[in-house]
Amino acid sequence: MATRNGESDTQRSVTSTPVQYALRYARLGWPVFPCVEGGKRPASEHGFKDATLDESAISSMWRDNPRANIGVPSGAQFWVLDVDAKSGGLESLRDMENQYGELPATLYAKTPSGGMHFFFAPRPDIANTASKIAPGIATRGHGGYVCVEGSLVEGNPYSFTDFDPLFDELPELATAPVWLLNKVIAERPQLAA
């Protein structure tokens, strides 16, 4: 069983609540909003637009939904390369890295379905895509969001690797490699005139 700071993942899930995680993310500078318990759909009226750093508002949102998952809008603080294991994303990522080079070391999380979220330094030209770069590879940029550690889907957790959000400071996020940016930006949806 993986441990961080001498505490097992099981111990932490028993002693830490979603609101504790949500408040800690806000203190780290990531605005948060609630998602439905056990799922990724927003639980607030305006979804990621309800994200806030205000601790009293966060406490109130989670008082109404104590087991709500934690959503963080992408775009301003980071963008995410979302690798979906169920749709062939792990194979697609391996193929891209074999062809272009490995991704740089950056913050990443394991997702409940066995995939990965790679967090990169924010860029204004990164939008949301779904399997347009390669099968099982999506992006979450401006106008999107991701669930983060402290959240469960079908009983399985999101879990950062080498970062404990309850105790650690946010690590520096890497800039995505040029080859990946070229793929992401080339597949960006065209904005209406």
Side-chain angles (χ1 to χ4, degrees), residues 167-180:
F167 300 100
D168 299 339
E169 294 303 314
L170 279 172
E172 186 172 340
L173 302 180
T175 298
V178 171
W179 66 261
L180 179 57

Side-chain angles (χ1 to χ4, degrees), residues 69-82:
N69 280 341
I70 304 150
V72 179
S74 50
Q77 308 297 328
F78 55 78
W79 73 272
V80 169
L81 184 70
D82 183 354

Side-chain angles (χ1 to χ4, degrees), residues 127 188-193:
R188 183 171 56 142
Q190 295 298 312
L191 300 176

Side-chain angles (χ1 to χ4, degrees), residues 25-160:
Y25 289 120
R27 291 180 195 126
L28 291 171
W30 283 4
V32 296
F33 66 97
C35 290
V36 295
E37 178 182 348
K40 297 183 274 189
R41 189 173 43 83
S44 61
E45 183 178 353
H46 302 106
F48 69 86
K49 293 179 181 178
D50 288 330
T52 183
L53 296 172
D54 182 279
E55 292 188 20
S56 63
I58 293 166
S59 295
S60 177
M61 285 189 267
W62 267 268
R63 188 170 27 259
D64 294 341
N65 301 288
R67 295 183 189 272
N69 280 341
I70 304 150
V72 179
S74 50
Q77 308 297 328
F78 55 78
W79 73 272
V80 169
L81 184 70
D82 183 354
V83 180
D84 182 359
K86 292 181 178 178
S87 300
L90 297 174
E91 294 81 7
S92 293
L93 178 61
R94 184 190 62 237
D95 292 345
M96 288 191 301
E97 287 186 314
N98 286 339
Q99 183 173 359
Y100 301 108
E102 291 186 6
L103 294 178
T106 194
L107 177 65
Y108 78 95
K110 295 177 183 176
T111 66
S113 63
M116 294 180 282
H117 284 168
F118 292 90
F119 291 72
F120 289 105
R123 286 183 54 109
D125 51 356
I126 304 294
N128 300 309
T129 63
S131 294
K132 291 184 178 181
I133 299 165
I137 303 286
T139 60
R140 302 288 175 250
H142 290 280
Y145 67 91
V146 293
C147 288
V148 290
E149 185 169 323
S151 303
L152 300 170
V153 174
E154 296 178 359
N156 297 312
Y158 287 87
S159 180
F160 284 109

